[in-house]
Amino acid sequence: METTCEKVRKMSEQKVSATGKTILLVDDDVDFLDITESRLKKDGFAVVRCEGQVAAEEYLNGDAHFDLAVVDLMMEFMDSGFVVSRKIKKAFPGTPVIMATGVERETGLGFSATTKEERSWIQADAMLEKPLRYDQLKKQIDMLLPAE
Amino acid sequence: MDELRVLVVDDELGIRMAIAKALRGAVVEVPEFNSSFALTVESAESAEDALDMIHQAAPDILLLDQKLPGMSGIELVEKMASESISVLTIMITAYASLETAVAATRSGAFDFLAKPFTPYELRACLFKAAKHIVLQRQAMKLVAERKRVRFEFLSVVAHELKSPTAAVEGYLMMMKDRVMGDQLDDYNDVVDRAIFRLSGMHKLIADLLDLTRIESGHKRREVTEVDLMRVAEMSAEAGRERGAPRGITVNVASDGPTTMVADAGEIELILNNFVSNAVKYNRDAGNVDVTIGRRDDGMMHITVKDTGIGMKPDDVKRLFGEFVRIKNEKTRRIEGSGLGLSIVKKLVDMYAGHVDVSSEWEVGSTFHVVLKDADPADPGEGDSQPSNTAKPAN
């Protein structure tokens, strides 16, 4: 049986990367990956998806090409997202990272990436509250990846 | 050891010294809470001085003479009340009369002590006051703890409902925006996935209701002779239906007598949870074996053994907590509310029983439940309604 994402992949092959940009999605929520992948592809992005920290690290250690990453904070571990975004920033210093988190409601801890100091230790260019709405995510991507 | 501060207010030096002497080294024991308190004594010769001291640091207990030069004892109590300062106050009165007692308590004092009093009377009065304070604090702590637990539970529930809602919303938005074109058939997987997440939500809500009913004690128990084999067969049938697409078989067998005194609904919840877990967390073409029987210890034993994915030792330890879900690459696509086993644990406790788990990663898990017969007259704990279940005549 074809999975949703396979179908989407096939469907959007003809128009893959109309923007010429690739988005890396890192999340352990399959629904989020399916939905976001199909929507991004429809909007002309190429998508690479990794189901969790381990998969993302494998991808980053190999031949990785992407223009922006969307990383969930809590995956296999509480701080998986921090680890992944730190690795991205080390290997691809100029590549923007959007961190998605429900951590503020879950733990009462507040994170944001609004000041330069916060961005230096959080290693993300923007934080978005989960559940992520696609239109919000798209707006953030457009801000961080202005059309050339 | 904690400390309770006593402030003595009396214009007579002799009384102040006598009280300090009588309370020197006194320790109040509150065995109910396994705690003890040392009394420390300070003193003031007027209500005005006392008020200054109270403003700086309020004592736990105020031993207050009613008749003082200047501001009287009762005026001091009223002044504190107007400033919303609450200190447990014992009024020292000149005569032991009903009138003075009434006047003292009416002004807000906790107790009164009539002059002349013996050191023994003084200590008895203070110990009573100290105990009251400890009980009050403990009650406040309990209220705060209950609030915290309820808040935590609610935020987890909210989160657990948020993620399927977000998924279903996302899928519907995909359809609304025709992300995959105009053909409805192209959205079959999207619709299936949304239904799957909604059914998970449905299960969570059902589990929440079960848990609330059990915890509130409002669930009326119907305690009768129950044949566990019949209940297990029903659970097994539901398990077979779920397991069939993956080639999983469910077997029920007995190794002793299988009837016990119980509420059939509760036994069904226990067995359903174990059998459905054994099917869910199994490998394809795996087996589930349910064995039931009363053993020589007089207890009913239920064993549910699967050939499934198994658990790592660290996961086994956390298993019975609320909203605990074991997260790994093998469980990622298995839906669950995370409440099933905490429901089971609460039910098993009602039968003075226990659950043991042995599990080996990638081999399988065995859950072993031991239950004691229920009291036939027990309508369920916490049930304030008069019981309809008649006690058997002796």
Side-chain angles (χ1 to χ4, degrees):
Chain A
M1 200 181 77
E2 244 178 4
T3 67
T4 308
C5 76
E6 277 162 5
K7 192 171 277 180
V8 171
R9 206 169 289 141
K10 268 191 203 158
M11 278 189 46
S12 44
E13 252 161 24
Q14 59 271 34
K15 50 192 280 191
V16 151
S17 203
T19 61
K21 305 278 189 197
T22 302
I23 310 288
L24 170 65
L25 294 178
V26 186
D27 203 310
D28 58 350
D29 179 344
V30 188
D31 297 301
F32 172 78
L33 288 177
D34 282 352
I35 293 164
T36 314
E37 179 179 12
S38 61
R39 303 212 69 142
L40 283 170
K41 284 188 168 167
K42 180 152 194 268
D43 285 337
F45 293 95
V47 174
V48 176
R49 50 188 271 168
C50 295
E51 247 183 87
Q53 180 185 337
V54 176
E57 283 173 317
E58 257 168 46
Y59 173 71
L60 290 169
N61 286 336
D63 187 20
H65 292 288
F66 58 97
D67 301 287
L68 179 147
V70 182
V71 182
D72 184 27
L73 176 55
M74 279 159 109
M75 295 182 284
E76 291 99 314
F77 306 100
M78 293 279 285
D79 61 348
S80 284
F82 287 148
V83 176
V84 171
S85 67
R86 199 162 261 279
K87 292 215 158 137
I88 293 173
K89 286 293 185 188
K90 209 172 162 196
F92 309 93
T95 306
V97 175
I98 297 172
M99 181 117 37
T101 167
V103 76
E104 188 162 350
R105 294 225 195 113
E106 279 154 22
T107 65
L109 295 171
F111 293 111
S112 69
T114 36
T115 68
K116 205 173 169 188
E117 198 202 345
E118 282 168 336
R119 278 198 293 271
S120 75
W121 77 267
I122 287 180
Q123 302 278 303
D125 300 85
M127 305 279 279
L128 286 179
E129 175 90 4
K130 282 193 108 175
L132 270 188
R133 286 185 60 107
Y134 180 71
D135 47 349
Q136 288 171 330
L137 178 65
K138 177 70 174 28
K139 218 162 139 191
Q140 195 63 248
I141 291 173
D142 290 342
M143 261 162 63
L144 291 166
L145 278 186
E148 278 144 23
Chain B
M1 187 162 35
D2 289 326
E3 197 180 77
L4 283 176
R5 289 176 47 231
V6 182
L7 175 59
V8 180
V9 191
D10 200 306
D11 54 333
E12 284 175 58
L13 179 65
I15 298 260
R16 294 202 302 270
M17 284 173 66
I19 291 175
K21 196 178 159 202
L23 295 180
R24 194 167 296 146
V27 172
V28 185
E29 303 275 352
V30 187
E32 292 92 329
F33 296 108
N34 218 349
S35 51
S36 47
F37 296 84
L39 295 180
T40 59
V41 181
E42 292 158 77
S43 53
E45 58 181 310
S46 71
E48 289 82 356
D49 285 357
L51 193 60
D52 281 345
M53 292 170 76
I54 290 165
H55 281 151
Q56 274 173 24
D60 299 296
I61 299 171
L62 189 62
L63 251 178
L64 179 62
D65 191 10
Q66 200 174 17
K67 275 209 180 122
L68 289 165
M71 191 194 286
S72 77
I74 289 185
E75 280 167 347
L76 175 60
V77 170
E78 284 166 356
K79 178 93 179 112
M80 288 196 306
S82 74
E83 294 180 22
S84 304
I85 301 171
S86 139
V87 179
L88 192 142
T89 305
I90 298 167
M91 203 66 96
I92 303 173
T93 59
Y95 307 101
S97 71
L98 193 61
E99 250 168 79
T100 47
V102 169
T105 30
R106 191 170 285 164
S107 65
F110 167 75
D111 203 353
F112 77 100
L113 201 56
K115 275 194 234 180
F117 47 80
T118 64
Y120 175 79
E121 284 169 330
L122 170 70
R123 275 201 295 267
C125 184
L126 272 172
F127 282 17
K128 193 172 112 191
K131 222 169 177 170
H132 178 82
I133 290 177
V134 174
L135 286 171
Q136 214 174 22
R137 284 184 191 167
Q138 211 67 31
M140 271 161 66
K141 242 192 235 168
L142 265 174
V143 169
E145 172 67 9
R146 220 172 283 153
K147 258 192 201 154
R148 193 190 59 77
V149 169
R150 198 183 320 149
F151 175 77
E152 225 163 64
F153 188 80
L154 278 177
S155 37
V156 179
V157 169
H159 174 76
E160 292 295 322
L161 289 172
K162 199 171 69 174
S163 80
T165 316
V168 172
E169 191 187 5
Y171 286 125
L172 287 174
M173 293 292 280
M174 264 175 82
M175 297 179 77
K176 185 174 180 240
D177 295 344
R178 306 287 189 276
V179 172
M180 288 158 49
D182 287 329
Q183 292 303 309
L184 186 57
D185 280 354
D186 288 334
Y187 293 92
N188 283 350
D189 293 335
V190 168
V191 173
D192 284 347
R193 190 67 203 163
I195 290 172
F196 177 73
R197 293 309 305 259
L198 279 175
S199 68
M201 222 162 121
H202 193 127
K203 171 82 167 78
L204 169 62
I205 293 168
D207 281 354
L208 274 173
L209 285 173
D210 280 338
L211 196 64
T212 332
R213 266 187 228 124
I214 295 165
E215 286 204 324
S216 67
H218 284 320
K219 190 176 154 296
R220 186 169 291 285
R221 296 182 86 179
E222 274 179 46
V223 177
T224 53
E225 284 268 316
V226 178
D227 185 358
L228 266 52
M229 283 301 275
R230 289 186 55 186
V231 182
E233 257 315 317
M234 288 194 298
S235 302
E237 203 39 56
R240 283 178 198 123
E241 237 167 77
R242 289 193 63 169
R246 295 169 52 210
I248 295 168
T249 57
V250 184
N251 310 303
V252 184
S254 66
D255 61 355
T258 57
T259 55
M260 73 177 287
V261 181
D263 175 295
E266 289 165 11
I267 299 293
E268 198 185 329
L269 263 179
I270 296 176
L271 278 161
N272 278 349
N273 268 297
F274 280 124
V275 172
S276 110
N277 278 349
V279 171
K280 270 200 305 193
Y281 300 99
N282 216 319
R283 60 176 165 81
D284 288 352
N287 298 315
V288 177
D289 284 303
V290 183
T291 315
I292 297 169
R294 191 182 293 278
R295 295 195 191 161
D296 293 340
D297 57 5
M299 306 281 272
M300 187 57 79
H301 291 249
I302 303 170
T303 309
V304 181
K305 187 172 185 297
D306 65 57
T307 52
I309 57 178
M311 286 173 285
K312 293 169 182 165
D314 279 353
D315 292 334
V316 174
K317 282 182 215 150
R318 318 182 357 233
L319 203 55
F320 287 89
E322 269 155 13
F323 294 109
V324 169
R325 298 219 53 222
I326 310 301
K327 271 194 170 183
N328 58 49
E329 62 269 31
K330 287 183 197 266
T331 61
R332 194 168 349 172
R333 284 169 195 271
I334 301 174
E335 193 77 358
S337 67
L339 285 175
L341 286 181
S342 66
I343 291 174
V344 165
K345 180 87 184 32
K346 292 203 164 81
L347 288 170
V348 169
D349 284 347
M350 287 164 75
Y351 288 87
H354 58 90
V355 186
D356 296 317
V357 194
S358 59
S359 189
E360 200 179 326
W361 175 238
E362 291 190 327
V363 175
S365 308
T366 302
F367 287 83
H368 180 206
V369 190
V370 181
L371 302 174
K372 199 179 157 199
D373 288 83
D375 179 353
D378 183 7
E381 53 181 315
D383 195 334
S384 52
Q385 301 294 311
S387 167
N388 290 332
T389 325
K391 261 204 162 108
N394 289 323

